[in-house]
Amino acid sequence: MGTLISCDWAVTAALDEPRHLWAVRVSDGLIADSGPADELTRRYPDDLFCDGSGCVLLPGFVNAHVHLYGVLAHGVPAPAAPVSDFWGFLADYWWPLVENALDPSMIRAAAAWVTAQLAAGGTTSFFDILEAPNALPDALFVQQEAVAPSGLRAVLSFEATERMGADNGQAGLDENVRFIEACRVRQDSRDSRDSHDRHTSHDSRVSGAMSIHTTFTCGEDFIRRAFALAESSDVFCHAHVNEGVHEGQWCSERHGMRPLEFYDSLGVASPRFQASQCVQLSPREVDIIADTGIKVSHMPLSNCEVGAGIAPLLDLLERGVTVGLGSDGYLNDMFAVMRGAFLVHRAAALNPTAITAAEVLHLATEGAARTLGMERVGRLETGWHADLQLVDLEGPAGLPTPVEDHNLLDQLLLWRSASDVRKVMVGGDWIVEDGEVIGADLGQLRAHCREQAARLWA
């Protein structure tokens, strides 16, 4: 027996034409079949039936870059001295008042709340970067305990940095390696059991990756060591790159070249490199990204929030670069993130057709999955993981104009939000029903998060 999900509209892949009165069949955690709803209903009369009338069926969102702990800093009192640039933001505010102050209780509370929030908004996979130098060791293991119950696919990493010394930097690298290995042991254990246990086990959906901060907090040997560990562990290595003008200036003064030129000179520019932000890029750096296969995560809203600038997304896409959208922990509603990308890059290009809604949705689904090395994630096609969402097109706040194939995606991006998500499935398991996160007490999670935020602020 499988599960048959019908809908008014289906977007089986972002860049394909929407399908009207469609259905997909889910079996053993995968998409087993798809086609016109009336045909599939006749073909599988004994399946469990999910009626998605009034909804559009989409692949689940993949958030390519988030900081779960970031929610604790939403509204935090500003430092006494005003922060005038990005370096001041880090050195005088973010490092001492946020990241250095994080402890296990704060990490756990933030992770539990944000993963529930992500799930409720249609996100089914995400990549998180944790920097909490005073919470080592075992910070990732604490986070994993809070993330796994959500049922989401998660790639967790610790952002190793030498800004607090060589020993602390090495501890960050060691944290990633231990976590990657522990996740593999857990997955191997699940794979040795029966398929039902495997597909209903949420903790097996959590994996690890390598992560470092930037060229201005990590030395040459440290960077090489991190990428070597990523290669030996067969995972990608993430780094923040050119989030603002500061890193490019610093690297040019210190090394006589810009950050991506420096990474290229170290021999680590490759498809294993996941570079986030990439806001202030030189033409040569765009060439390096395109020529070496570096993958990029793009955070349009947080880039605006910190005054970093507008990333050259259109140039990267034109060069065939693999790009995924992320929230950066700033605003975790992926509809809002997509809307930001859709509008910002049209405005920057002075062209209302510079990027389409389909292209943006691709960046939030299959494109983001590719930046994380996730296979068969981001489409609703036979053999792909059954990670999906049903989004309400009607209801009390339904769209006031007719939905047709030519306007469906534009209407989704411009006038839908996380609150319109009705059902979410990951790997064949429903994790959101009727807009409610299954098994999560949101009031309790919110209260714990507020309590820990207050501790941080104090």
Side-chain angles (χ1 to χ4, degrees), residues 71-135:
V71 68
L72 298 172
H74 291 180
V76 63
V83 174
S84 60
D85 57 21
F86 189 67
W87 177 251
F89 170 80
L90 290 177
D92 300 331
Y93 171 48
W94 195 254
W95 287 339
L97 300 184
V98 180
E99 290 180 344
N100 292 2
L102 293 173
D103 63 23
S105 295
M106 296 173 190
I107 292 168
R108 183 180 292 107
W113 166 251
V114 177
T115 50
Q117 185 184 44
L118 289 170
T123 293
T124 53
S125 302
F126 68 91
F127 170 50
D128 181 71
I129 304 95
L130 171 64
E131 187 177 339
N134 291 317

Side-chain angles (χ1 to χ4, degrees), residues 110-372:
W113 166 251
V114 177
T115 50
Q117 185 184 44
L118 289 170
T123 293
T124 53
S125 302
F126 68 91
F127 170 50
D128 181 71
I129 304 95
L130 171 64
E131 187 177 339
N134 291 317
L136 290 170
D138 297 332
L140 288 181
F141 294 86
V142 168
Q143 195 174 55
Q144 187 270 339
E145 291 174 0
V147 166
S150 71
L152 299 179
R153 298 188 196 280
V155 183
L156 307 182
S157 71
F158 190 90
E159 191 172 78
T161 169
E162 293 185 298
R163 68 177 177 83
M164 292 184 65
D167 290 345
N168 188 263
Q170 185 60 49
L173 297 179
D174 293 343
E175 178 83 358
N176 283 318
V177 171
R178 288 194 306 115
F179 187 73
I180 292 164
E181 292 175 349
C183 289
R184 289 212 172 118
V185 169
R186 187 183 306 114
Q187 182 65 56
D188 290 344
S189 175
R190 295 296 177 186
D191 288 347
S192 68
R193 303 178 188 179
D194 64 85
S195 61
H196 175 76
D197 192 13
R198 180 170 68 252
H199 288 128
T200 57
S201 175
H202 291 175
D203 61 357
S204 65
R205 294 179 186 153
V206 180
S207 60
M210 184 59 64
S211 183
I212 61 173
H213 185 225
T214 64
T215 57
F216 60 85
T217 56
C218 300
E220 181 176 333
D221 290 341
F222 186 81
I223 292 171
R224 282 201 178 101
R225 190 157 67 250
F227 275 87
L229 288 170
E231 183 172 7
S232 63
S233 298
D234 194 24
V235 296
F236 65 85
C237 185
H238 159 270
H240 286 87
V241 178
N242 287 340
E243 186 167 358
V245 298
H246 169 76
E247 186 178 13
Q249 295 171 346
W250 184 93
C251 206
S252 295
E253 294 171 1
R254 179 68 174 269
H255 299 295
M257 61 187 83
R258 290 185 58 82
L260 283 163
E261 294 174 316
F262 181 60
Y263 283 119
D264 194 30
S265 74
L266 297 180
V268 300
S270 74
R272 195 176 296 280
F273 192 172
Q274 204 242 42
S276 66
Q277 312 296 345
C278 294
V279 180
Q280 301 292 339
L281 296 178
S282 69
R284 174 61 185 142
E285 289 180 299
V286 173
D287 288 341
I288 290 171
I289 291 173
D291 294 344
T292 63
I294 291 173
K295 299 175 177 67
V296 173
S297 55
H298 171 51
M299 281 60 72
L301 297 184
S302 66
N303 294 161
C304 291
E305 192 263 342
V306 299
I310 299 174
L313 174 66
L314 302 182
D315 292 342
L316 294 172
L317 294 178
E318 186 176 354
R319 297 292 300 276
V321 175
T322 299
V323 181
L325 279 184
S327 67
D328 213 8
Y330 168 59
L331 187 62
N332 294 316
D333 181 344
M334 288 298 287
F335 287 92
V337 175
M338 290 192 298
R339 190 154 47 246
F342 188 61
L343 299 176
V344 163
H345 293 291
R346 288 182 167 203
L350 303 179
N351 180 356
T353 63
I355 191 166
T356 67
E359 289 171 322
V360 173
L361 179 60
H362 175 78
L363 301 182
T365 52
E366 187 178 354
R370 289 178 179 176
T371 70
L372 305 180

